Amino acid sequence: MGSLTAVAVKAALANPGTYSDGDGLILKIDKRGGAYWVCRLQRDGKRQDVGLGSAKLLSLAEAREKSRDIRKAVKIDKRDVIAERRDAIAAKVTFREAAEIYHAENEAGWKSEVYARQWLASLENHAFPKLGNVPTGGITAADIIDVLTPIWQEIPETARQVRNRICAVLDFSHAKGWRSSEAPSGSGSLKAGRGLPRQVKERKNRKAMPYVAVPSFIVALQRKPSFGRLALELLILTGVRSQEVRLATWDEFDVESRLWTIPANHMKRAKAHVVPLSFASMAVLSKAAALKVAGTETVFPGTSGKPLSDMTLLKVLRDASEPYHVHGFRSSFTDWAANEGFPDAVVEAALAHKTPDAVQAAYRRTTYLGTAAKPGARVELMEAWGRYCSEDASEKADVISIITAGGRQ
């Protein structure tokens, strides 16, 4: 029998303090009038206070019964009731919700707008399909490994980023009380060679399609137009990176001057880059304009109207059973240009590469674009590459008017 009585509990409600009933059952009354029952016990040598509920709603007899049940669960069944309660709370917060909250709360700290967009996009592409609707408290190392396995060898750098970002969200969830433990350790089961296989050492240069095979590949791309195929075709014809073509919007294109100005926040070096557009490139844009999706200014939108994911272009290659990498087309272009005798400096400028020599970088200010009356070496380079890749494109009639009608509304 405990030391408290129903009458004593009623009297205590008007007197702030702590009252013990025995066997770890405690009644706490605070100065603001709050009254609640607590079960105090020892687990693994540490004291734990488990809340039972309001003393204004829970009678002394009910509190004693709940306290006995909890003590039995801990002492006899060896359960961690506090962790179970946290997991119950976590069951209401999915991984997707936690990731979006984490992303929003850290918005001011992202190093750039592009990085912030890529951070969440990587989870949308690789983690959300399997973990998005799973409660944060229920995600295990095995679940994370299941997400990473398909991309662990294929795109190792991205896979490592996804692993780190999943773990960051789970650590955040733990701090918020949505999860009873921190994320699985990157030095434990999520380390290469343990739960995940050791990654094959990534080649410095990604596998490139031989330039002699590019024209026939483009013909194959053109057989079944889609935004993914059109985006890959424009990437090949312009020598740009995947991100630059995927994020492209119609206002970046001056179709009259046949110039594409890629904004700094889309570029790897955070410096705006101007690309001369060949007739072959203009033909691709005219097809994209004809397919333009209402409500978005993205040239190559995904199904939701947002930019294509970083895996879409690679999937086009894989669907065609091509073993090459998207980034490798820049190498294909470089090899062709070298074989055709174009100066290295012009090719490097076309690829938006940084001039390695500091003195040359300081004095070489030309962009090799020339003027409308006298096109520069880069204009000639891109037109020649376009003709090589797609002979028919240079014969197209008025592609500019088609783009203007379809892409500028």
Side-chain angles (χ1 to χ4, degrees):
M1 181 67 69
S3 60
L4 292 176
T5 65
V7 174
V9 170
K10 186 175 181 180
L13 294 177
N15 298 288
T18 300
Y19 303 87
S20 177
D21 183 55
D23 286 336
L25 179 60
I26 295 171
L27 173 63
K28 289 191 173 184
I29 314 295
D30 62 35
K31 295 180 180 179
R32 294 175 295 180
Y36 49 96
W37 296 104
V38 171
C39 176
R40 177 166 293 172
L41 45 81
Q42 291 281 330
R43 184 177 183 276
D44 297 333
K46 297 180 180 178
R47 193 184 86 180
Q48 290 184 332
D49 286 351
V50 182
L52 303 178
S54 170
K56 296 178 181 179
L57 301 175
L58 204 65
S59 69
L60 175 59
E62 291 170 330
R64 284 172 176 168
E65 184 179 357
K66 290 189 72 170
S67 180
R68 281 194 300 270
D69 290 343
I70 287 176
R71 290 177 66 79
K72 176 180 178 296
V74 174
K75 297 294 184 182
I76 306 300
D77 301 333
K78 306 299 182 183
R79 288 162 49 193
D80 186 344
V81 294
I82 292 180
E84 290 174 4
R85 288 189 174 191
R86 286 176 180 164
D87 287 345
I89 295 172
K92 301 176 183 178
V93 182
T94 65
F95 180 78
R96 181 191 298 273
E97 291 168 338
E100 289 173 348
I101 294 170
Y102 176 89
H103 187 264
E105 290 192 8
N106 289 276
E107 183 177 7
W110 300 120
K111 61 184 180 183
S112 72
E113 221 176 284
V114 171
Y115 179 80
R117 185 164 53 242
Q118 288 177 334
W119 196 98
L120 194 57
S122 67
L123 296 183
E124 289 175 344
N125 296 332
H126 306 296
F128 288 174
K130 291 185 177 179
L131 300 182
N133 297 323
V134 178
T136 57
I139 295 174
T140 65
D143 296 322
I144 301 173
I145 290 171
D146 187 43
V147 168
L148 298 175
T149 298
I151 60 173
W152 191 245
Q153 302 290 6
E154 182 69 37
I155 42 175
E157 183 178 347
T158 299
R160 290 192 295 270
Q161 291 174 342
V162 170
R163 176 191 61 187
N164 295 340
R165 289 164 187 175
I166 290 174
C167 290
V169 172
L170 295 184
D171 284 341
F172 173 75
S173 299
H174 173 61
K176 289 286 189 179
W178 303 333
R179 179 180 170 85
S180 62
S181 62
E182 295 179 337
S185 172
S187 60
S189 58
L190 298 184
K191 183 178 180 180
R194 295 189 180 177
L196 287 161
R198 293 192 182 280
Q199 291 176 319
V200 177
K201 188 174 182 182
E202 188 176 9
R203 294 181 179 88
K204 186 174 181 182
N205 296 316
R206 291 161 180 160
K207 194 170 183 181
M209 180 180 288
Y211 70 82
V212 293
V214 171
S216 60
F217 177 66
I218 287 183
V219 170
L221 285 179
Q222 294 171 343
R223 290 189 184 123
K224 190 178 178 182
S226 69
F227 282 124
R229 287 166 173 258
L230 289 171
L232 183 58
E233 187 178 353
L234 186 64
L235 176 145
I236 295 169
L237 293 170
T238 55
V240 301
R241 298 178 180 87
S242 171
Q243 171 178 284
E244 294 149 16
V245 75
R246 288 186 297 103
L247 299 182
T249 54
W250 283 110
D251 60 1
E252 297 173 16
F253 294 90
D254 181 345
V255 295
E256 297 293 341
S257 300
R258 290 170 50 199
L259 294 175
W260 175 15
T261 302
I262 305 173
N265 63 350
H266 290 182
M267 293 295 298
K268 181 179 180 180
R269 292 173 52 210
K271 184 178 180 181
H273 178 55
V274 179
V275 181
L277 296 170
S278 64
F279 277 104
S281 297
M282 297 291 286
V284 175
L285 289 175
S286 71
K287 293 175 186 176
L291 298 174
K292 190 173 188 297
V293 176
T296 178
E297 282 302 304
T298 302
V299 178
F300 306 107
T303 53
S304 63
K306 295 180 180 179
L308 296 170
S309 75
D310 61 347
M311 287 296 290
T312 302
L313 303 191
L314 182 61
K315 186 176 184 301
V316 172
L317 280 167
R318 294 297 172 263
D319 288 347
S321 300
E322 296 289 356
Y324 309 108
H325 197 282
V326 173
H327 196 77
F329 284 107
R330 286 164 63 86
S331 179
S332 306
F333 167 65
T334 302
D335 291 344
W336 169 85
N339 189 64
E340 293 295 311
F342 284 94
D344 288 346
V346 176
V347 178
E348 292 297 293
L351 294 171
H353 279 168
K354 182 178 180 181
T355 304
D357 187 294
V359 175
Q360 287 185 8
Y363 288 97
R364 184 182 290 161
R365 305 293 177 85
T366 182
T367 59
Y368 301 103
L369 290 174
T371 64
K374 188 176 182 181
R378 275 179 60 199
V379 177
E380 296 172 359
L381 168 66
M382 301 316 295
E383 191 59 54
W385 173 240
R387 282 196 304 271
Y388 171 77
C389 291
S390 185
E391 288 290 345
D392 293 340
S394 60
E395 304 298 328
K396 295 293 181 183
D398 193 2
V399 294
I400 291 178
S401 63
I402 296 174
I403 299 170
T404 305
R408 299 295 183 91
Q409 298 179 356

